[in-house]
Amino acid sequence: MLSLRDLNRATLARQHLLRRHEGSAADVVHRLAGLQAQEPRPPYLGVWTRLAGFGRDELHRDLHAGTLVRATLHRATLHLVTAGDYAAFRPLLHPVLAAAARRFEGVDADAVVAAAARLLAEGPHTFNELRPKLLKEFPEADQRHLGYAVRMLMPLVMVPTQDRWSFPRDPAFAPAGVTLDPAPSAEAFAERYLAAFGPATAADLQAWSGLGGLAPVLDGMRDRLEVLTGEDGRVLYDLPDAPRPGGDVPAPVRFLPDFDTLVLGHADRRRIVADEHRGLVTTKNLRVRATYLIDGFAAGTWQIKRSGKKARLIVTPFAPHRPDILEEEATALLAFAEPDATQRTLEVAED
């Protein structure tokens, strides 16, 4: 039987949050089966908090080389993944993306995708450029619906630029340019999830991916998985050789960015975020705030505010704690996120 602390430490170990990974940025992205990338900066911070000696230029080079791509995948949201994982995951996640596109009636999706493919063959387009062109061909449609259908149904990737975090506010998209796996494996997909987030339930896997019907997949893999029990009696699946260090292992302070994949990786998020704090992390408009971990669990939220050459990392604790325990990690985070700031401070938000 695994306690909540056991689950916490097992997942932190796989997420490289007990000890930073010694390797490459692409290794970390692959090991986590992707990082949520709703905005340009958070994936950089997500890699930084998990990788020893990480410099921004490494991830920037990987994006420009096409080793890593930023594209719509899990839960029909933007993710940073390796090109190989994009080729393997996208066919499996097509039902999720197609279901999202079907929310809008009156759009001939096949015709819209064909028109978009013709336009994108001319070169990368931002959606602000693409939507008006599509509207000329489908004048009775809502241009937002047209753009959304294309984003969901076409294998597209964002085109990186020389911006600090590799993408501008209004990025261009282009066809993915990879050969999608013609026979994707749901079992391999489940194994990748467990390697990064396990031990976990079928509901956890479905919440992370947005893909339903995965309980029979895990059940059919019982002969090669560890079948465990949580303290609440739930059945948990895991890989036999995956790390489960135990709930008494020390966990260092770590800062997670907005939309971090760890916070969104389970249906039951108690292994990271207590139920009473979920509303403080996920807002009504579905923004997922940046959090920091003390003893492995979310202890508050944080944000960076910049004024001239001064950068302030402001923390909002869920409960009182000594702010000095955050100083070392906060100083390192500010140095990475705001390298040109001449003054960097850690502050606790006032009540």
Side-chain angles (χ1 to χ4, degrees):
M1 182 175 293
L2 298 177
S3 70
L4 195 63
R5 290 184 65 87
D6 292 333
L7 291 177
N8 172 271
R9 296 309 197 257
T11 305
L12 292 182
R14 298 159 208 222
Q15 292 274 322
H16 305 295
L17 291 168
L18 291 182
R19 179 175 165 184
R20 283 184 164 96
H21 179 61
E22 300 280 349
S24 70
D27 285 342
V28 170
V29 175
H30 177 74
R31 285 167 173 263
L32 270 59
L35 283 166
Q36 179 116 348
Q38 288 299 98
E39 297 171 355
R41 187 176 73 167
Y44 275 88
L45 303 184
V47 173
W48 173 84
T49 203
R50 294 171 167 94
L51 179 61
F54 173 59
R56 182 193 71 89
D57 289 348
E58 181 184 356
L59 186 52
H60 188 74
R61 286 193 301 268
D62 286 343
L63 283 161
H64 280 267
T67 307
L68 298 175
V69 298
R70 186 177 172 207
T72 302
L73 278 175
H74 315 309
R75 305 181 302 281
T77 57
L78 288 165
H79 276 69
L80 178 73
V81 294
T82 65
D85 281 346
Y86 183 80
F89 292 169
R90 198 188 186 286
L92 278 171
L93 294 170
H94 177 75
V96 179
L97 305 177
R102 285 197 298 269
R103 290 188 301 170
F104 304 114
E105 298 179 356
V107 175
D108 184 341
D110 292 339
V112 171
V113 167
R118 186 178 68 252
L119 293 167
L120 289 166
E122 301 170 0
H125 284 62
T126 69
F127 272 89
N128 283 331
E129 295 167 340
L130 188 62
R131 284 190 294 261
K133 293 182 179 182
L134 290 172
L135 193 60
K136 289 182 179 179
E137 301 193 33
F138 304 92
E140 296 183 1
D142 182 292
Q143 65 172 307
R144 291 284 172 185
H145 297 177
L146 293 172
Y148 193 77
V150 171
R151 191 189 293 266
M152 293 299 110
L153 297 175
M154 284 192 71
L156 301 175
V157 298
M158 281 189 183
V159 179
T161 63
Q162 295 304 319
D163 289 78
R164 173 179 283 187
W165 307 114
S166 300
F167 298 96
R169 187 180 297 273
D170 186 24
F173 285 77
V178 299
T179 301
L180 301 182
D181 191 338
S185 168
E187 290 82 3
F189 185 65
E191 288 178 350
R192 291 291 304 284
Y193 171 74
L194 293 175
F197 294 91
T201 66
D204 291 328
L205 171 56
Q206 293 176 166
W208 169 75
S209 64
L211 187 62
L214 294 175
V217 173
L218 285 173
D219 193 54
M221 298 168 63
R222 279 177 174 258
D223 61 342
R224 62 180 190 270
L225 295 177
E226 292 276 2
V227 182
L228 308 165
T229 305
E231 62 185 13
D232 56 2
R234 293 180 306 143
V235 173
L236 299 160
Y237 297 91
D238 204 8
L239 302 178
D241 57 351
R244 292 190 291 274
D248 58 345
V249 170
V253 168
R254 289 289 184 259
F255 284 87
L256 304 179
D258 305 78
F259 305 104
D260 192 78
T261 189
L262 175 61
V263 176
L264 295 166
H266 302 87
D268 182 352
R269 299 178 184 174
R270 291 177 301 156
R271 73 180 68 193
I272 301 296
V273 181
D275 283 342
E276 61 266 30
H277 299 149
R278 284 187 65 160
L280 301 174
V281 174
T282 303
T283 66
K284 291 181 179 179
N285 63 357
L286 301 184
R287 182 170 190 86
V288 181
R289 293 188 172 106
T291 58
Y292 60 92
L293 309 181
I294 296 178
D295 189 30
F297 294 89
T301 60
W302 64 271
Q303 59 181 316
I304 293 175
K305 290 194 174 182
R306 182 71 184 260
S307 177
K309 288 293 185 178
K310 182 179 180 179
R312 297 179 297 147
L313 195 159
I314 303 170
V315 298
T316 303
F318 296 148
H321 62 74
R322 288 170 38 216
D324 61 293
I325 64 177
L326 303 177
E327 284 181 358
E328 181 178 358
E329 194 72 3
T331 298
L333 172 59
L334 276 171
F336 176 80
E338 302 291 342
D340 58 341
T342 57
Q343 184 179 353
R344 307 183 187 107
T345 57
L346 171 65
E347 300 179 10
V348 178
E350 296 181 1
D351 293 336

